[in-house]
Amino acid sequence: MLSSITLRGRLVCLEPMTSDHVHDLCAAASEDRSSYGYTYVPNGLEDTRRYIEIALSDYAKGRAIPFVVRHIETGRLVGSTRFLDLEVFSWPPPWPPGVANGSSPTDSNPPTVAEIGSTWYSASFQRTGVNTECKLLLLTHAFETWKTIRVTLKTDARNLRSRTAIQRLGAVFEGIRRAHVPASDGGIRDTAYFSILAEEWPAVRANLQDRLQ
């Protein structure tokens, strides 16, 4: 499995999620929750405990690397994000097409493709530089350390605020996957897909760095 990692910037530090974060993460999620209409964010201490347990189980299975987001100036936990859908392609590709392609990633065999998701922030830290720097740290690690060829970002198709934020990163809109998964509000979610490819990363990185200035 991949080792846990810490990613530190000027505004935030992304720390490996642990069970010790339950109270601080619960507090981070307890501010004004009106912006969480299309995003699952744990609500209350027991829900947060289960949220962390599931995230750590996914990490143990090689499916995800979950982080808590710590605001450096205040020392507060202000949200969570993670790498997920980590996949290593095998070469040559398997035959017939469509069969399982690759193995679980490790430090010596890092993911060929990855997704950044399960991202949320406390209300008071939304629309700040926190998300921009988080994405810069995660994308830098994916493209420059792992040498990933593609990073996926996706959101509920109804979440125009999230879709706009993803496009502002420089990600390319790919389309809508209809009736994709259960929605956080109890319905069925159509999912908007975006991606960044390795050859697009230099321009995306420059855009994120400029925005942080």
Side-chain angles (χ1 to χ4, degrees), residues 36-40 115 153-164 166 173 175-177 179-194:
Y36 300 151
Y38 301 117
T39 304
Y40 171 65
E115 180 182 334
L153 301 102
K154 63 179 188 278
T155 188
D156 191 308
R158 300 170 295 175
N159 194 341
L160 298 182
R161 179 175 172 180
S162 178
R163 290 175 63 171
T164 299
I166 293 172
F173 175 62
I176 304 292
R177 185 172 180 178
H180 177 210
V181 291
S184 60
D185 61 1
I188 299 296
R189 184 176 105 167
D190 295 341
T191 299
Y193 272 78
F194 301 81

Side-chain angles (χ1 to χ4, degrees), residues 42-57:
N43 189 7
L45 190 60
E46 289 307 310
D47 198 22
T48 305
R49 201 183 309 277
R50 285 192 298 270
Y51 181 83
I52 291 175
E53 288 173 353
I54 292 169
L56 296 182
S57 175

Side-chain angles (χ1 to χ4, degrees), residues 65-87:
I65 301 180
F67 301 92
V68 294
V69 181
R70 188 175 299 279
H71 186 246
I72 292 173
E73 182 177 357
T74 64
R76 291 174 51 193
L77 290 193
V78 298
S80 179
T81 190
R82 70 190 68 175
F83 286 118
L84 62 158
D85 281 349
L86 305 171
E87 184 178 357

Side-chain angles (χ1 to χ4, degrees), residues 104-127:
S104 297
T106 63
D107 292 338
S108 60
N109 193 28
T112 312
V113 293
E115 180 182 334
I116 295 172
S118 295
T119 302
W120 57 268
Y121 305 106
S122 301
S124 58
F125 286 87
Q126 296 174 20
R127 298 180 180 272

